[in-house]
């Protein structure tokens, strides 16, 4: 894995998106698959600084280390700042015993974090790419998730947070593009969280770090540089398990998370423009546990629902949402729930534009929903 | 191609990456010259005639050779087995005899036999279908008591599953053992795990889990946390020679060495992993032979010699605590019992082989002989203690069996610190179901 990863470090996620978003080349082949919709915060949140996603992650980590002397950050290459710059400056500021490299071994990283957390220390582990979290699957599923339950609450590793860059980046192919959240959604005992931008990322990451349960925090790597907004400099947390209604609408509910939220916001605009359809856009934010109330309330209002995620269709988290919506909103549904997702294939390299759940595929699904 | 092509598209990518490369080089140089092994400096690398006298590769400190020679595993003359007393319980070199107080020695011996008694009764109770599963500790009692006695009670323990004696030495009661095996309402684990998956914060003993070797890199994380805390504590992590083949064992050894963790890795090499003999488990010099390859101080001891285990663990603990470094102890022993109650070991090994270890080299017998030589034990005491032990075990056994099972609500709690709404809903749904269909379920907690 390591040699391939070293190549990936030279792929600068985000820049490509910025470069081509503005239509510099105007070519379909190189077009970004989304346009970033920045969040804003109220003035009550105090002073803000312009940050991209990696900087807001860095800010959250810095805050976590500054406010908790037991907190440590570790993983592959985090010492010099991380291959995505998320830990830059933290070792110099907080010390080598608190921000350090580990040997290249994901099962070791996850387990080392469990052991730290079991001793009462705050453990913030990094898996370099979500694609490489699978060697740690046993430690996460059989150990971290079950630590409290199996001991009758005598022991726990609630102070563990695992961060990992996830999802499509334009050219990441099979092993730098995966969205593995559904594998973890089937695991009672952990929390799984995915932010859509810098403001959410900082608040949610701090919430995960301080949550008394082991959390997996997936960071959409295409947003590391491309997503920029005014992020509060203060120490704040966002609620895990709470979805956000980003756009209110009456005809169709669009549900996504991570980068796909921005695709869906564009779909909502396109649907209004071309189909005269009013869409409600929901960022699920938290995959496990997920916000049933917000989702059901919206679908009961609109009667139609589109779920969209980058991960493959079969066994994707969309299936869980669709089944639950069917159970709880049956009398309100005017059309079958639609899922627009990645195909049931590995994530391809040059064919990424054909793999992605693009705004055009989503728009077509909205058309189906309203014409049903 | 990929990299070049991409840099053309995004010149910023290359520019912003350069500082990382420079930093990376500086970082590796610093480590190599400043903190590297052997205190090697670049000036030493160049001879008076300007020729390179030593290799300068950052990955290893070594000299050149002009002989094409492979390094072969030296498995016929392996790491020697450290021993304090012989099979007749006589100390071989007086200087090696540990200064363990008499009452501690007697306590160690009594707990070895108490464990043995508990094993016999619980094994039988499984045969009778009274508990679902059991694993005995036969033949390995010496590794438990010898190591446990060498530790400080605040040292934290991660085990595999065949270390009940360590917990017993620390004062875990017979009732606690039995309650866990029965999963009754007094089980601190709330009846959730299979029998013998004990755990107790009061005894600094992490709850056992079934997946093998997962505890090993976890133990390293805990040891690292101890290193950062003001308390002088270390971690001991027990595992079998079979578990040592798991990837997590590799992770643990390497992380412990690289991150300077105060941990004692204690391997029980009992010759078998269920049916698999060690010759099908590895081809190197056992487990101890791997330690130096990770940069870990390692020793092999006679696991049936409780005093040798004790001495090695005391020395290992000193190293771990005072030097913040990992130590590996491989205790050579023999698994006298079946792997578990689900296993009939006569399917893969001879009865004679088992009898040899049981009758001629048993840790309990050897410890008893040692105590007798010291005048601390005799036939009379043996007889009285055996009766007492059996009585204690039987009484605890009966108490545990009579207690109702842990309540079914324990299915839903402790999944998370708090109960999320979807679990609350599932618990409520189950409660409603039980109201109507409860008579079809073994609701012992409601019957008390």
């Amino acid at each position: 894995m390591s040699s391939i990863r070293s190549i990936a470090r030279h792929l600068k996620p985000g820049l490509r998106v910025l470069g081509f978003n503005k239509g510099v080349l105007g070519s379909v082949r190189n077009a970004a698959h989304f346009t970033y919709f920045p969040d804003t915060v109220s003035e009550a949140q105090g002073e803000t600084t312009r940050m991209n996603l990696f900087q807001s992650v860095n800010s959250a980590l810095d805050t976590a280390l500054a406010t908790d002397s037991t907190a440590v950050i570790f993983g592959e290459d985090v010492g010099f700042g991380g291959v995505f710059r998320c830990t830059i400056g933290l070792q110099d500021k907080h010390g080598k015993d608190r921000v350090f490299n580990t040997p290249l071994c994901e099962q070791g990283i996850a387990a080392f974090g469990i052991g730290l957390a079991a001793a009462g220390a705050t453990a913030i582990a990094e898996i370099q790419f979500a694609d490489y979290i699978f060697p740690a699957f046993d430690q996460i599923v059989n150990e971290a998730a079950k630590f409290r339950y199996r001991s009758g609450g005598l022991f726990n590793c609630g102070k563990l947070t695992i961060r990992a860059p996830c999802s499509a980046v334009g050219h990441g192919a099979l092993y730098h593009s995966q969205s593995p959240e559904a594998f973890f959604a089937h695991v009672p005992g952990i929390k799984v969280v995915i932010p859509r931008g810098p403001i959410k990322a900082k608040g949610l990451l701090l919430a995960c770090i301080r949550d008394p349960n082991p959390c997996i925090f997936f960071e959409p790597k295409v947003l590391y540089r491309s997503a920029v907004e005014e992020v509060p400099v203060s120490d704040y947390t966002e609620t895990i398990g709470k979805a956000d209604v980003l756009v209110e609408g009456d005809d169709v509910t669009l549900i996504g998370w991570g980068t796909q939220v921005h695709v869906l916001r564009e779909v909502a605009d396109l649907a209004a423009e071309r189909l005269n359809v009013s869409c409600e856009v929901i960022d699920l934010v938290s995959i496990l546990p997920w916000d049933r109330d917000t989702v059901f309330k919206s679908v009961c209002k609109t009667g139609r629902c589109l779920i969209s995620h980058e991960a493959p269709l079969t066994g994707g988290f969309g299936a869980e949402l669709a089944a639950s919506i069917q159970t709880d909103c049956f009398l309100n549904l005017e059309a079958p729930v639609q899922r627009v997702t990645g195909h049931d294939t590995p994530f391809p390299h040059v064919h990424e534009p054909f793999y992605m759940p693009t705004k055009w595929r989503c728009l077509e699904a909205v058309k189906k929903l309203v014409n049903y | 191609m990929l990299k070049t092509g991409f840099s053309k598209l995004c010149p910023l990518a290359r520019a912003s990456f350069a500082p990382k490369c420079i930093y990376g080089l500086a970082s590796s140089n610093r480590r190599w010259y400043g903190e590297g092994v052997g205190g090697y400096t670049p000036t030493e690398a160049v001879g008076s005639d300007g020729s390179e006298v030593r290799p300068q590769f950052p990955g290893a400190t070594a000299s050149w050779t002009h002989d094409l020679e492979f390094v072969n595993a030296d498995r016929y003359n392996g790491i020697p087995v450290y021993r304090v007393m012989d099979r007749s319980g006589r100390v071989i070199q007086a200087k090696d005899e540990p200064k363990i107080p008499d009452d501690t020695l007697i306590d160690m011996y009594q707990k070895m036999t108490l464990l043995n008694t508990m094993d016999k009764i619980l094994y039988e109770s499984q045969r009778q279908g009274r508990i679902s599963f059991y694993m005995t500790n036969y033949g390995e009692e010496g590794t438990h008591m010898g190591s446990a006695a060498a530790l400080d009670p605040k040292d934290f323990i991660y085990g595999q599953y065949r270390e009940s004696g360590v917990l017993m030495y620390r004062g875990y009661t017979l009732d606690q053992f039995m309650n866990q095996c029965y999963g009754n309402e007094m089980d601190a684990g709330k009846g959730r795990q299979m029998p013998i998956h004990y755990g107790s914060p009061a005894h600094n003993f992490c709850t056992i889990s079934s997946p093998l070797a997962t505890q090993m890199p976890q133990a390293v994380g805990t040891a690292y946390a101890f290193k950062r805390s003001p308390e002088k504590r270390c971690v001991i992590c027990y595992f079998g020679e079979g578990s040592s083949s798991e990837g997590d064992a590799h992770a643990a050894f390497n992380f412990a060495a690289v991150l300077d963790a105060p941990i004692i890795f204690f391997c029980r090499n009992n010759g078998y992993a269920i049916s698999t003999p060690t010759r099908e488990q590895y081809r190197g010099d056992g487990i101890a032979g791997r330690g130096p390859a990770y940069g870990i101080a390692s020793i092999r001891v006679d696991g049936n010699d409780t005093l040798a285990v004790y001495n090695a663990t005391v020395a290992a603990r000193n190293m771990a605590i005072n030097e913040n470094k990992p130590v590996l102890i491989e205790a050579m022993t023999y698994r006298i019992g079946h792997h578990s109650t689900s296993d009939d070991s006569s399917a893969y090994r001879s009865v004679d082989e088992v009898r040899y270890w049981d009758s001629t080299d048993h840790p309990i017998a050897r410890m008893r002989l040692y105590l007798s030589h010291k005048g601390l034990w005799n036939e009379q005491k043996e007889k009285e203690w055996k009766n007492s032990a059996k009585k204690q075990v039987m009484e605890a056994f009966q108490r545990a069996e009579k207690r109702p099972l842990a309540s079914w609500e324990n299915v839903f709690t402790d999944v998370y610190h708090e109960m999320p709404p979807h679990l609350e809903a599932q618990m409520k749904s189950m409660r409603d179901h039980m109201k109507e269909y409860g008579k079809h379920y073994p609701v012992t907690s409601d019957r008390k």
Side-chain angles (χ1 to χ4, degrees), chain A residues 133 140 144-146 148 157-158 160-163 181 184-194 204 207-218 238-242 285-290, chain B residues 415-423:
Chain A
I133 203 167
I140 294 169
K146 298 171 173 58
R148 184 190 306 272
C157 62
L160 169 67
T161 300
I162 299 175
R163 299 174 38 242
E181 65 272 11
F184 296 99
H186 198 55
V187 184
I190 53 171
K191 294 189 177 180
V192 182
V193 176
I194 309 178
L204 285 167
C208 284
I209 290 167
R210 292 164 181 171
D211 191 271
N213 298 286
C215 296
I216 302 180
F217 191 72
F218 287 124
E238 301 258 351
T239 310
I240 300 170
K242 171 91 182 58
V285 180
S286 177
I287 304 297
L288 185 68
W290 62 279
Chain B
V415 178
Y416 293 91
H417 171 264
E418 69 289 347
M419 192 179 287
H422 71 287
L423 265 184

Side-chain angles (χ1 to χ4, degrees), chain B residues 85-98:
Chain B
M85 56 177 166
D86 61 21
R87 286 180 182 181
S88 62
R90 299 274 180 198
V91 172
I92 299 160
Q93 298 188 94
K95 69 172 178 60
D96 290 340
E97 184 172 2

Side-chain angles (χ1 to χ4, degrees), chain A residues 84-331:
Chain A
F84 287 109
R85 322 316 280 144
C86 291
T87 52
I88 200 154
L90 298 180
Q91 189 178 66
D92 286 342
K93 187 169 174 187
H94 298 283
K96 280 185 167 183
D97 67 321
R98 301 190 66 192
V99 181
F100 51 92
N101 291 338
T102 64
L104 203 164
C105 178
E106 287 76 11
Q107 60 201 95
I109 292 168
F112 182 81
I114 292 169
L116 276 164
T122 296
I124 309 167
E126 177 179 306
I127 299 291
Q128 203 160 74
F129 285 83
D131 311 65
Y132 306 126
I133 203 167
F134 299 110
F137 203 63
D138 183 43
Q139 285 287 350
I140 294 169
V141 175
N142 278 329
E143 296 292 319
K146 298 171 173 58
F147 218 88
R148 184 190 306 272
Y149 187 78
R150 73 184 184 206
S151 68
L154 297 178
F155 295 98
N156 73 81
C157 62
K159 290 191 158 194
L160 169 67
T161 300
I162 299 175
R163 299 174 38 242
C166 72
S167 303
V169 68
H171 44 247
L174 289 81
Y175 308 112
H176 300 87
S177 308
Q178 292 183 55
S179 299
E181 65 272 11
F183 287 105
F184 296 99
H186 198 55
V187 184
I190 53 171
K191 294 189 177 180
V192 182
V193 176
I194 309 178
R196 66 174 177 274
I199 295 169
K200 291 295 282 188
K202 180 175 171 182
L204 285 167
L205 179 53
L206 276 168
C208 284
I209 290 167
R210 292 164 181 171
D211 191 271
N213 298 286
C215 296
I216 302 180
F217 191 72
F218 287 124
E219 298 162 4
K221 64 177 106 53
V222 75
L223 303 180
Y224 273 139
R225 286 161 188 269
S226 66
V228 182
E229 54 203 26
E230 288 289 329
V231 180
V233 296
S234 62
D235 180 346
Y236 66 97
T237 55
E238 301 258 351
T239 310
I240 300 170
K242 171 91 182 58
D244 292 337
V245 178
L246 299 176
V247 179
E248 293 193 6
D250 300 317
D251 301 328
V252 181
T253 300
L254 311 181
I255 307 172
W257 49 91
T259 321
Q260 196 64 11
V261 165
H262 304 288
V263 174
L264 292 179
R265 290 189 70 160
E266 219 176 326
V267 172
D269 290 347
L270 284 169
E273 220 173 87
R274 303 193 179 200
L275 310 171
N276 196 28
V277 168
S278 158
C279 293
E280 181 145 304
V281 179
I282 295 179
D283 176 4
L284 195 64
V285 180
S286 177
I287 304 297
L288 185 68
W290 62 279
D291 185 350
R292 285 162 167 77
D293 292 347
T294 300
V295 167
F296 296 156
K297 195 177 150 205
S298 173
V299 178
C300 286
K301 177 179 73 174
T302 62
R304 294 176 178 85
C305 180
L306 163 67
I307 302 155
S308 185
H309 54 68
E310 289 182 20
L313 178 70
T314 303
F317 196 64
E320 174 60 33
L321 292 174
S324 300
I325 288 166
Q326 184 265 138
T327 302
D328 276 61
C329 314
F330 187 69
L331 293 175

Side-chain angles (χ1 to χ4, degrees), chain B residues 259-323:
Chain B
L259 299 171
D260 303 313
I263 181 170
I264 303 166
F265 290 112
F266 193 105
C267 178
R268 297 174 292 96
N269 190 335
N270 62 18
Y272 289 90
I274 305 188
S275 74
T276 306
T278 53
R279 66 178 175 277
E280 292 168 23
Q281 198 65 249
Y282 53 74
R283 288 295 163 97
D285 178 24
I287 310 307
R290 295 176 200 171
Y294 287 100
I296 298 179
S298 304
I299 192 169
R300 175 173 282 154
V301 303
D302 180 348
N304 299 336
D305 178 347
T306 308
L307 303 184
V309 172
Y310 176 87
N311 279 355
T313 311
V314 167
R317 183 175 191 275
N318 285 337
M319 257 191 279
I321 292 278
N322 299 328
E323 300 171 45

Side-chain angles (χ1 to χ4, degrees), chain B residues 134-146:
Chain B
Y134 195 68
M135 291 175 113
T136 64
N137 301 278
Y138 300 150
E140 301 183 44
E141 298 89 344
T143 63
H144 301 181
M145 299 308 160

Side-chain angles (χ1 to χ4, degrees), chain B residues 28-80:
Chain B
S28 75
N29 280 346
R30 198 165 53 236
R31 181 169 178 78
W32 178 28
Y33 294 122
E35 305 167 347
V37 278
Y40 181 56
T41 67
T43 47
E44 288 173 77
V46 182
S48 52
D49 59 349
S51 66
E52 254 186 292
V53 295
R54 297 189 71 179
Q56 300 187 48
F57 304 112
T61 302
S63 55
W64 299 113
T65 177
H66 305 289
D67 300 320
L68 198 163
E69 190 181 9
F70 291 91
V71 176
N72 288 301
D74 187 11
R75 63 191 150 102
Y76 299 103
N77 282 308
I79 295 172

